[in-house]
Amino acid sequence: HNAPSPAYLEETHERFFLQVREKNPDLPIVMISAPYPKPDSHWIERREIIRETYEKALRAGDKHVYFISGTTLFPELGQDFTPDGTHPSDLGYYYMARRIAPVISKILDGAESFSWQAPEL
């Protein structure tokens, strides 16, 4: 969402993912496009860039990558879930959590398949 343009996102998204993946081969990564229930062509292009990174990872055999389309984050109830057209309201975050929670639950159910160590405080 914060990439200045679709071209910039296309140039950086997969490259960043691959850098993270190289150092963390079993780390679960959830890719989520911008939370627009009815995106215009600008946001559709961005979503497809993210989806392509995800699909390439799957084709490469990555079993620890997930994709959630931003079009599925908010229900279509005829109301806005953001106070400014971008940042979710408390209701917006509630609906996002409802959509993302099943994916996180799936990841945690398979938690024995990756290791993670909490940093020392």
Side-chain angles (χ1 to χ4, degrees):
H1 181 87
N2 291 322
S5 68
Y8 182 86
L9 182 63
E10 187 164 25
E11 180 184 319
T12 60
H13 190 268
E14 183 180 19
R15 188 171 41 145
F16 176 73
F17 166 74
L18 292 173
Q19 288 174 352
V20 172
R21 178 54 77 225
E22 181 182 353
K23 298 208 181 298
N24 302 279
D26 296 325
L27 177 73
I29 296 176
V30 181
M31 299 178 194
I32 305 173
S33 62
Y36 294 114
K38 296 179 183 175
D40 61 21
S41 62
H42 175 79
W43 294 108
I44 291 171
E45 184 179 0
R46 289 170 180 258
R47 181 189 64 216
E48 293 312 308
I49 291 166
I50 295 166
R51 185 191 315 268
E52 183 59 26
T53 299
Y54 164 74
E55 290 177 357
K56 282 183 180 178
L58 289 179
R59 288 192 299 270
D62 194 323
K63 297 190 184 329
H64 304 290
V65 65
Y66 306 84
F67 174 78
I68 299 174
S69 173
T71 61
T72 67
L73 293 174
F74 301 144
E76 290 192 44
L77 299 175
Q79 63 187 50
D80 192 0
F81 297 97
T82 71
D84 59 5
T86 300
H87 301 93
S89 64
D90 53 352
L91 185 59
Y93 279 118
Y94 168 77
Y95 282 113
M96 289 174 70
R98 285 185 54 152
R99 174 65 179 94
I100 296 168
V103 176
I104 300 300
S105 180
K106 179 180 178 180
I107 291 168
L108 293 175
D109 284 347
E112 67 278 355
S113 66
F114 68 93
S115 62
W116 178 81
Q117 187 172 12
E120 291 185 30
L121 299 177

